[in-house]
């Protein structure tokens, strides 16, 4: 695969980016990460990704050993060396290894790494045109009181088992609940329900879970775009039954922006024909990609 990585203070080929099996990032999922993207040679909202990454490092008491400016430089350099126009750019920091014989996390030397690979789609443009088949999975999302989902993390066993269930049931991806009948999020994305205006001409309303989820950068982007377009946006509990009644459903991710959902548990969303996702999804998807040409949101990869 085309790409380039940074590990142990050096830029290396992807196949040389390896960590010790004794690193707690591997043994205990003790790590945080962030993923930004480059589209047509420009980073999208890189500062927002770095803000989130730095906040998460602080919350987990991880020290990457690099300043924000240095981390930014590493991300640019990975993309430049990879020679990619459209890229998936990940930064991560693992706990590292404790002192020999110790299980005290304070003795660990943390490891910062980064890599750039070709853009990764949760659903590629062709799939987006057809829409994704979503399943409400049985596993409960790990409770926020145990693992805070606002800190981007690798505690994905609930999602992975949910994905197996979704495939077994003929779906393509999964969304998990909080165990009390409310939607949380899926493997790599946030969820939105769209309700058409209550009377003719009234603006549509978007509902997205307020808590128990990662505060996605794409989620934020779509909320801002919806507000600018005069749509209502409600961040609150989203009951599964309400999602089933939505006129439109979409998910949001760095891996593809706004991704329309065609069916929920095998039922066509909003009773629509295949390939018709409704006006709100279409409008916001167009505006999301338009923002990639706006210098306020997108800055060129340094040559
Ligand atoms: C669990 C989870 N929720 C939501 C998202 C979406 O976040 P963003 O829009 O910042 O990519 C991700 C992204 O990978 C994720 O892993």
């Amino acid at each position: 695969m085309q790409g380039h990585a940074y590990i142990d203070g050096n830029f290396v080929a992807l196949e040389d980016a390896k960590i010790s099996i004794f690193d707690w990032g591997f043994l205990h999922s003790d790590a945080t990460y962030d993923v930004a993207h480059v589209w047509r040679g420009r980073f999208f909202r890189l500062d927002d990704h770095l803000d989130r990454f730095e906040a998460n490092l602080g919350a987990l008491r991880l020290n990457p050993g690099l300043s924000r400016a240095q981390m930014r430089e590493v991300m640019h350099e990975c993309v430049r060396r990879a020679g990619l126009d459209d890229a998936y750019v990940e930064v991560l920091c693992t706990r590292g290894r404790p002192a020999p014989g110790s299980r005290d996390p304070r003795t660990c030397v943390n490891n910062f790494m980064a890599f750039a690979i070709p853009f990764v789609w949760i659903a590629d443009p062709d799939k987006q045109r057809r829409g994704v088949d979503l399943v409400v999975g049985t596993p409960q999302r790990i409770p926020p009181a145990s693992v805070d989902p606002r800190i981007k993390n690798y505690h994905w066993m609930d999602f992975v088992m949910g994905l197996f269930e979704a495939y077994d049931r003929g779906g393509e991806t999964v969304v998990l609940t909080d165990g009390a009948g409310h939607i949380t999020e899926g493997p790599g994305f946030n969820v939105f329900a769209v309700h058409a205006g209550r009377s003719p001409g009234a603006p549509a309303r978007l509902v997205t879970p307020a808590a128990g989820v990662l505060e996605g950068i794409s989620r934020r982007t779509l909320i801002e775009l919806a507000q600018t377009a005069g749509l209502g946006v409600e961040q609150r509990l989203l009951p599964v039954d309400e999602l089933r009644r939505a006129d439109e459903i979409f998910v949001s991710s760095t891996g593809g922006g706004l991704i329309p959902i065609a069916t929920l548990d095998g039922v066509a969303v909003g009773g629509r024909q295949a390939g018709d996702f409704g006006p709100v999804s279409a409008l916001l998807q167009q505006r999301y990609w338009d923002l990639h040409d706006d210098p306020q949101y997108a800055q060129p990869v340094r040559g």
Side-chain angles (χ1 to χ4, degrees), residues 227-240:
Q227 287 169 336
T228 307
L231 304 175
V233 179
E234 298 169 19
Q235 298 179 57
R236 56 164 168 81
L237 286 176
L238 174 55
V240 176

Side-chain angles (χ1 to χ4, degrees), residues 60 196 257 281 284 298:
L60 297 184
S281 302
L284 294 178

Side-chain angles (χ1 to χ4, degrees), residues 33 52 152 156 159 185-186 188-190 214 216-218 253-254:
Y33 73 111
R52 184 170 69 180
K152 209 164 153 64
W156 272 40
F159 284 146
E185 58 188 340
F189 54 82
N190 293 110
L214 180 75
I217 304 295
S218 334
S253 172
T254 294

